[in-house]
Amino acid sequence: MTAVSPIDGRYRSKTQALAGYFSEYALIRYRVRVEIEYFIALCELPLPQLEGFDHSLFEPLRDIYRRFSEQDAQRVKDIEAVTNHDVKAVEYFIKEQIDVLGGFPAEAKEFIHFGLTSQDINNTSVPLSVKEALEEVYCPMIEELIEQLNDYAEQWKQVPMLAKTHGQPASPTRLGKEVMVYVYRLEEQLRALKDTPVTAKFGGATGNYNAHHVAYPQYDWREFGNRFVSEKLGLEREQWTTQISNYDWLGAIFDAMRRINTVIIDLDRDFWMYISMEYFKQKIKQGEVGSSAMPHKVNPIDFENSEGNLGMANAILAFLAQKLPVSRLQRDLTDSTVLRNVGVPMGHALIAMQSTLKGLRKLILNEAKLQQDLDNTWAVVAEAIQTILRREAYPNPYEALKALTRTNEQMTEETIHAFIRQLNVSPEVKEELMAITPSNYTGM
């Protein structure tokens, strides 16, 4: 009730799944995870001072982030209140936990956060949270939407429908095919999103492994960093950076998400229009009210809610993609506060996709209305007739059909058939033309 943002207030039930990836608690947990995996990687290298480290402690160390609780996160925040530095607080917290574990050589503790800057942790933690949220929440939701659309495309593949181009009657299509357009578009853009690498910065204070190299010049730290980021975190290391990530690939991910959202906006608007054209009715739920004043109304609010939330998401995604790759010299701090908002557009998108699915699942196909519109629009077979007449080398077929149909007179079956009967073509061609109707002229 007191949340400022609707994604954590009114729509909390729809965005709860993202709390484990983008909340303050989640960010701290990801930082702890990266720090611990980095320490383990140093032990496995091994650094000379860590050669004798007991590898049986690795799993208890990992349990620090595996079992990380809100109370643990609060302890980090308490330390941060003293240090006034969020990543340093994580380092101190881990050292406290190590003391609780026991059996940890005192000198080994100093290899927690060894040679790193805070951005080595932030610019691995945030991409890791984005990657896992995409894989575990966002992409499955899109796949659920695609599956629902695929089901409808199959159900409605033989249902003829009057097409509208420029808002005017056009060559008929089939409802299932029009739904399949969205399946195809979403599958293509989802594939592009999944093919976009999730990258991380990991290279010390200004990206050159200065501290690592000065302490241990005998190691190839770039190769170590590549393996650590790839094998331990499942990310790709950016090879040339300043203190912070270049954010170019993160921007590409946001752009890919924006394209997906745009496709869904298009879908929302089309189904909104189909409902207004009475091609669909909506399931009525007992007790629900469509309007505070007009009792008869059943509004397509789910598609409207989705469109609004996707607009919010795209505005933020566009800003993130444009802002993050820009930083003064080797770094400024503007990326830090901006990065804390990467979960916001995903939250809005999650609300939107659930609303679109809810709207789709309330649809009741009104085939009678689709058929009525086809029966009332015989002019759309003019394309078919003039095309066959072209095939038969009939003189000026386009112009003949234009003269017939571009009037204010209603084109009916009888109007079209009367035109066909007076054509100077063979009986076989006339029979072929007579067989064409708005309902069967739907292509492949």
Side-chain angles (χ1 to χ4, degrees):
M1 292 296 287
T2 59
V4 174
S5 167
I7 65 173
D8 278 324
R10 179 179 180 87
Y11 301 119
R12 178 68 176 183
S13 63
K14 294 185 176 183
T15 61
Q16 179 75 41
L18 295 177
Y21 304 91
F22 300 117
S23 61
E24 183 74 358
Y25 155 79
L27 177 58
I28 296 170
R29 179 169 53 83
Y30 274 108
R31 285 168 169 165
V32 172
R33 175 177 165 185
V34 172
E35 291 276 18
I36 288 173
E37 289 297 342
Y38 171 64
F39 174 80
I40 290 172
L42 292 177
C43 293
E44 291 173 338
L45 188 56
L47 287 182
Q49 287 82 354
L50 298 174
E51 278 189 284
F53 187 82
D54 184 359
H55 287 202
S56 68
L57 290 172
F58 287 173
E59 292 311 307
L61 275 172
R62 288 187 168 111
D63 284 339
I64 296 174
Y65 70 76
R66 287 171 179 160
R67 299 174 182 173
F68 195 74
S69 66
E70 288 188 41
Q71 291 71 30
D72 291 331
Q74 185 56 56
R75 175 55 189 155
V76 175
K77 298 299 289 184
D78 293 342
I79 299 170
E80 182 187 342
V82 177
T83 63
N84 197 31
H85 196 287
D86 49 4
V87 176
K88 199 67 178 175
V90 168
E91 176 187 343
Y92 289 164
F93 168 79
I94 294 172
K95 288 178 177 179
E96 282 185 356
Q97 294 298 303
I98 284 170
D99 288 339
V100 173
L101 277 178
F104 206 101
E107 62 273 15
K109 286 171 63 175
E110 291 311 311
F111 289 90
I112 301 294
H113 200 70
F114 174 79
L116 301 181
T117 186
S118 58
Q119 287 309 106
D120 293 315
I121 303 304
N122 291 330
N123 287 162
T124 46
S125 295
V126 172
L128 188 54
S129 70
V130 169
K131 177 178 182 287
E132 293 186 344
L134 288 174
E135 291 174 348
E136 297 167 16
V137 179
Y138 182 84
C139 291
M141 182 61 69
I142 297 169
E143 288 163 350
E144 184 179 351
L145 176 57
I146 291 171
E147 183 179 1
Q148 178 65 71
L149 292 169
N150 234 329
D151 287 346
Y152 278 155
E154 179 64 25
Q155 287 180 41
W156 302 331
K157 66 182 180 181
Q158 300 299 340
V159 177
M161 181 178 79
L162 183 66
K164 294 285 183 73
T165 59
H166 309 280
Q168 305 302 307
S171 298
T173 183
R174 280 170 302 207
L175 179 58
K177 175 261 169 176
E178 297 308 313
V179 175
M180 198 64 197
V181 169
Y182 285 107
V183 172
Y184 171 72
R185 292 175 68 187
L186 287 171
E187 285 179 339
E188 289 292 295
Q189 295 309 318
L190 181 58
R191 185 180 302 112
L193 173 61
K194 289 181 175 181
D195 288 345
T196 304
V198 186
T199 65
K201 178 266 174 179
F202 195 80
T206 53
N208 310 331
Y209 286 109
N210 299 39
H212 294 78
H213 184 69
V214 76
Y216 297 101
Q218 67 271 34
Y219 291 100
D220 184 342
W221 289 106
R222 280 174 296 191
E223 194 272 336
F224 168 84
N226 290 341
R227 282 191 294 106
F228 169 68
V229 171
S230 173
E231 295 173 10
K232 298 289 187 180
L233 307 180
L235 306 171
E236 292 187 25
R237 179 178 166 269
E238 297 166 18
Q239 298 301 302
W240 300 87
T241 69
T242 59
Q243 185 178 95
I244 63 174
S245 168
N246 301 316
Y247 295 119
D248 298 325
W249 283 112
L250 195 57
I253 287 171
F254 296 149
D255 285 339
M257 292 171 65
R258 193 152 50 96
R259 290 195 300 274
I260 289 170
N261 291 347
T262 300
V263 173
I264 301 173
I265 288 173
D266 201 20
L267 182 153
D268 288 333
R269 291 179 178 177
D270 274 4
F271 275 97
W272 189 97
M273 290 290 291
Y274 290 142
I275 291 169
S276 75
M277 293 157 61
E278 299 183 8
Y279 286 3
F280 294 102
K281 297 182 183 297
Q282 297 177 91
K283 295 174 184 174
I284 297 172
K285 187 174 181 180
Q286 191 66 34
E288 283 190 353
V289 174
S291 166
S292 63
M294 293 171 279
H296 70 283
K297 297 196 77 180
V298 183
N299 296 328
I301 57 173
D302 300 303
F303 297 108
E304 295 168 344
N305 176 285
S306 175
E307 181 181 341
N309 274 285
L310 290 169
M312 285 291 297
N314 278 2
I316 299 168
L317 288 168
F319 169 71
L320 291 172
Q322 292 166 12
K323 186 273 156 294
L324 285 172
V326 180
S327 183
R328 296 171 185 86
L329 305 179
Q330 281 64 57
R331 93 152 297 185
D332 62 42
L333 199 65
T334 53
D335 66 313
S336 178
T337 188
V338 169
L339 278 177
R340 291 181 177 272
N341 291 279
V342 297
V344 175
M346 207 176 291
H348 283 291
L350 211 59
I351 295 165
M353 284 186 273
Q354 291 174 78
S355 293
T356 297
L357 277 165
K358 184 179 178 183
L360 289 171
R361 289 164 179 167
K362 285 164 64 173
L363 296 177
I364 302 172
L365 180 62
N366 184 9
E367 284 195 69
K369 180 60 178 176
L370 275 81
Q371 189 61 52
Q372 181 185 24
D373 278 4
L374 287 165
D375 292 342
N376 289 340
T377 321
W378 271 79
V380 294
V381 302
E383 178 193 42
I385 295 170
Q386 66 96 8
T387 303
I388 289 175
L389 292 178
R390 283 174 186 260
R391 184 194 72 193
E392 298 297 315
Y394 192 89
N396 303 315
Y398 178 88
E399 288 71 20
L401 270 298
K402 178 182 173 185
L404 172 70
T405 58
R406 291 200 35 154
T407 68
N408 289 324
E409 180 185 346
Q410 174 73 30
M411 290 294 108
T412 65
E413 180 178 9
E414 181 51 41
T415 308
I416 296 295
H417 285 186
F419 173 81
I420 294 170
R421 283 192 289 268
Q422 58 82 39
L423 290 171
N424 185 21
V425 294
S426 69
E428 291 77 17
V429 171
K430 286 185 180 181
E431 184 179 354
E432 183 182 2
L433 294 174
M434 289 284 195
I436 300 169
T437 72
S439 295
N440 65 23
Y441 180 51
T442 57
M444 297 176 62

